Amino acid sequence: MLRMLLTAVQVFSSLAILGLVLLQRGKGADAGAGFGSGASGTVFGARGATTALSRATAVFAAIFMINSLALAYLGTTASKERQKTILEEAADSGKPAAATGTQPPGNPPASLPASAPGIAPAPTTPAPAPAPVQPPK
């Protein structure tokens, strides 16, 4: 949930930075201002647009950087969590029915018939326990 929220903030801030940078005038555009065409083509005035857009770009850049650090931290803490191997998952599936919430493999569920037509029922006797191994003398 938190990772999805931070990812959405990351995308929004990156798009905002992109849009704000494209709205700003380049350094070469100031050369034309000396000949009288500088302030007439801007919405915010000759100086107001540069200050407002630059400040907004700096704010979104700071949000982007802090958010990047937060996403990197979440990524490293998630990778530190121990993942189960296939063997551990197989061992967990062999636990008793009370621990896993499932019935033992030999007994069919109560809602199903004991055996389907044409199929022999599965044996319900438990397998004998293996004999303990004696250490060599």
Side-chain angles (χ1 to χ4, degrees), residues 70-128:
L71 282 170
Y73 177 74
L74 282 178
T76 56
T77 57
S79 65
K80 286 181 182 177
E81 293 176 2
R82 189 166 176 262
Q83 301 291 327
K84 283 189 173 183
T85 63
I86 295 174
L87 295 175
E88 291 172 343
E89 288 179 11
D92 288 344
S93 67
K95 288 184 179 179
T100 59
T102 60
Q103 291 187 344
N107 300 332
S111 62
L112 296 177
S115 64
I119 298 176
T124 56
T125 58

Side-chain angles (χ1 to χ4, degrees), residues 5-11 13 62-72:
L5 178 69
L6 289 177
T7 304
V9 169
Q10 187 83 352
V11 169
S13 62
I63 291 171
F64 184 84
M65 286 186 242
I66 292 169
N67 199 25
S68 296
L69 291 173
L71 282 170

